[in-house]
Amino acid sequence: MNPILIMALAFTPLALLAWLRNAYPHRPLVYLALVPALMSLAMIFTAGVKVPLLIVDAVVVVMALADLISLPGRLSFSVERQTGRIGSLGKAHPVTLLVINQSRRWQMVWIRDGVPPELNPSPEEFAVRLAARSRSTFKYELRPSRRGAFQLEAVHLRVRSRLGFWQLFISLPLENEVNVYPDMKQLSEYAILARTNRLSLLGVRRTRKIGQDNEFERLRDFTVDDNHKHIDWRSTARRHKLTVKDFQANQSQRLIFLLDCGRMMTSEAGGMSLLDHALNAMLMLSFVALRQGDSVGLIAFSDEIHGFVPPRSGMAQMNRLLHASYDRFPKLVESRYDEAFLYLASHCRKRSLVVLLTNLIDEVNASQVERYLASLVGRHLPLGVLLRDHQLFDVADVDQPSESQLYAAAAAAEILTWRKQVLTDLQGRGVLALDVFPEGLTAPLVNSYLDIKARHLL
């Protein structure tokens, strides 16, 4: 009889049973199967190997079959996952897995959670021997590298048979959602430094107010640093104690962000897109403005309006801004500034500080930005925030360039000259402008807002 036919007849039932159990051969079984395979080749030269070959085939099939039966069923395991729903970009997010072995035997198991690669789990896999009828807890961390909503749909187990000839892959459905928001650590740092009067550590300048707010807030006892003009003599006579009036800054001013999510914001700086840098700065300024008692709103747009958060005051507005922006990503489309400013005109009629966060690349979008921002002068106070491109500035700032670098530096210098002229034109038409590198945006943007408040421009 043909030796290949002998092996086929011996292993076909075994392969069929393994397919029914959804089991896969492991390396030890392959090594074991090499023994009858080599003996079959020996039959070409020696005729007396037939009987030993049949015995070896039978032994291999019996061992593989017995080991296949030792594999546990899919119902032998269950799993639970504990994790918070909200995570922060680039920050550790703890996850706990509870794996239950309901079988009567110990099992060698490899455990891997079904996590999207953007969440960067550490460690990615656990190899553990689970005791019979036991519960085991495994802890790992996610460190998200991208904002957005992520679905954790299943936990995957790889179980090895007793002798290691077979392995079984089990996927246990288990759904959780993790929403990754921009890093909010900067907000808590601002609050702490504001209470301790150390905002200069974040680059925020102390701004001297011009003029005097005349909105009365309260009466209090006189201190040596108070202006004598603020003494309330009637209250002083009634209380027999020097009493002064406290004035508060004008409240309920409005701040509206126009956030460009188009192709202008797809470039990267420091491993983050320009949109990520703009979002971090926007959320910081929103936090500062809400603490000042102002109302903050948001319009996110590209080739269409993606989201609108009406201007409101109160710290609860931070949650609305976060929820509206955490899953926004730059798209390779041309931004429709006309639709964004038309939407602004129809939904925000009261005078506001309008902050446009975008980038300038060519004359087409630059002319649109200039035209639409200038159209707001008088009704609103427009502020154009233009993000710089490191590659462009680095090319133009090369010391002693070579001949090949010289042409690139000249082209970059010409673009930068054009960019500076656009900024000059904006300012000449009454538009406030801010031209900064993306990673250094937050402090200048907050300083500009505080300067506007101090000068009563709004």
Side-chain angles (χ1 to χ4, degrees):
M1 183 179 289
N2 191 327
I4 298 179
L5 182 59
I6 295 176
M7 293 187 62
L9 292 175
F11 285 98
T12 297
L14 183 63
L16 180 61
L17 181 59
W19 177 76
L20 291 175
R21 296 208 61 184
N22 199 24
Y24 297 87
H26 201 28
R27 280 191 298 269
L29 181 59
V30 177
Y31 300 150
L32 183 64
L34 287 176
V35 176
L38 294 175
M39 292 181 66
S40 299
L41 293 176
M43 288 182 63
I44 301 175
F45 308 100
T46 306
V49 190
K50 184 176 181 180
V51 175
L53 175 60
L54 292 176
I55 296 175
V56 171
D57 283 343
V59 171
V60 171
V61 170
V62 170
M63 291 179 61
L65 180 60
D67 198 40
L68 178 61
I69 295 174
S70 71
L71 273 176
R74 292 178 175 273
L75 299 180
S76 300
F77 300 94
S78 61
V79 65
E80 299 176 6
R81 185 194 294 118
Q82 296 178 356
T83 182
R85 187 172 181 179
I86 297 177
S88 294
L89 182 65
K91 301 300 178 183
H93 185 74
V95 182
T96 301
L97 292 177
L98 175 63
V99 181
I100 304 172
N101 177 19
Q102 300 172 351
S103 65
R104 298 180 179 179
R105 299 178 179 177
W106 64 266
Q107 303 293 343
M108 190 65 194
V109 183
W110 286 260
I111 305 167
R112 181 185 290 262
D113 203 354
V115 175
E118 295 86 353
L119 296 184
N120 301 314
S122 177
E124 296 183 355
E125 188 177 73
F126 297 94
V128 64
R129 175 173 169 168
L130 298 179
R133 299 190 180 279
S134 64
R135 295 168 174 257
S136 300
T137 301
F138 306 93
K139 297 182 179 181
Y140 70 96
E141 290 184 346
L142 304 175
R143 195 169 292 272
S145 60
R146 187 171 68 88
R147 296 174 291 102
F150 297 92
Q151 297 292 332
L152 281 61
E153 298 180 349
V155 176
H156 307 288
L157 307 181
R158 181 167 64 91
V159 186
R160 196 179 68 182
S161 60
R162 188 68 57 188
L163 298 177
F165 292 160
W166 302 94
Q167 55 185 354
L168 178 67
F169 294 93
I170 302 175
S171 292
L172 301 175
L174 185 61
E175 295 186 357
N176 286 96
E177 182 178 1
V178 176
N179 296 329
V180 179
Y181 291 90
D183 181 17
M184 293 294 99
K185 185 180 179 181
Q186 57 176 346
L187 304 186
S188 59
E189 289 178 353
Y190 180 90
I192 293 174
L193 294 177
R195 285 196 296 267
T196 56
N197 198 25
R198 293 184 296 162
L199 288 177
S200 59
L201 297 178
L202 292 178
V204 178
R205 299 192 306 266
R206 181 187 296 272
T207 306
R208 186 178 65 86
K209 292 188 176 182
I210 300 176
Q212 175 63 48
D213 292 328
N214 54 6
E215 190 171 341
F216 174 76
E217 182 179 11
R218 61 171 179 160
L219 293 171
R220 61 172 176 81
D221 292 342
F222 176 83
T223 61
V224 294
D225 296 326
D226 288 327
N227 192 330
H228 292 81
K229 295 181 180 179
H230 297 161
I231 296 177
D232 188 303
W233 294 108
R234 290 187 178 181
S235 299
T236 297
R238 185 173 61 252
R239 299 177 66 229
H240 303 288
K241 185 187 295 185
L242 284 175
T243 306
V244 296
K245 295 179 180 180
D246 250 357
F247 299 92
Q248 64 179 353
N250 294 327
Q251 304 294 313
S252 300
Q253 294 179 331
R254 297 159 68 90
L255 171 62
I256 300 175
F257 291 98
L258 290 178
L259 186 62
D260 186 359
C261 302
R263 67 180 181 91
M264 304 297 174
M265 306 294 279
T266 56
S267 300
E268 292 190 355
M272 298 170 56
S273 68
L274 298 187
L275 183 59
D276 282 319
H277 289 290
L279 275 174
N280 287 338
M282 181 208 76
L283 292 172
M284 173 61 92
L285 180 53
S286 299
F287 182 76
V288 174
L290 291 171
R291 283 173 57 95
Q292 296 274 347
D294 289 344
S295 301
V296 181
L298 170 67
I299 298 175
F301 71 98
S302 60
D303 57 339
E304 60 181 356
I305 303 299
H306 296 300
F308 172 59
V309 180
R312 293 181 184 175
S313 58
M315 296 310 296
Q317 182 73 346
M318 280 300 303
N319 291 332
R320 303 185 187 98
L321 294 171
L322 277 169
H323 188 72
S325 60
Y326 81 98
D327 57 351
R328 293 285 167 234
F329 302 100
K331 302 171 61 178
L332 289 173
V333 295
E334 195 68 40
S335 298
R336 293 291 303 273
Y337 296 98
D338 53 345
E339 290 190 6
F341 282 86
L342 180 62
Y343 196 90
L344 173 70
S346 59
H347 290 79
C348 306
R349 299 183 181 276
K350 293 184 179 180
R351 180 173 173 82
S352 308
L353 171 61
V354 179
V355 180
L356 174 64
L357 295 160
T358 187
N359 185 23
L360 293 183
I361 297 178
D362 51 46
E363 294 183 358
V364 176
N365 72 308
S367 61
Q368 293 187 64
V369 169
E370 181 180 349
R371 180 168 74 252
Y372 288 113
L373 279 178
S375 67
L376 297 180
V377 176
R379 290 179 296 144
H380 299 287
L381 180 62
L383 171 60
V385 179
L386 310 179
L387 302 180
R388 295 178 174 179
D389 188 346
H390 272 288
Q391 295 181 349
L392 190 63
F393 280 79
D394 291 344
V395 169
D397 195 27
V398 175
D399 293 333
Q400 298 179 351
S402 62
E403 183 176 353
S404 59
Q405 293 176 328
L406 187 61
Y407 293 102
E414 184 177 356
I415 296 175
L416 294 180
T417 302
W418 163 80
R419 181 187 178 93
K420 184 176 181 180
Q421 184 60 47
V422 171
L423 290 169
T424 303
D425 294 341
L426 280 173
Q427 294 170 345
R429 300 184 66 174
V431 177
L432 301 177
L434 194 60
D435 183 31
V436 292
F437 288 109
E439 62 275 13
L441 171 61
T442 301
L445 185 58
V446 173
N447 287 330
S448 296
Y449 163 78
L450 295 177
D451 186 59
I452 290 170
K453 294 279 290 184
R455 296 166 59 191
H456 305 287
L457 298 179
L458 192 55

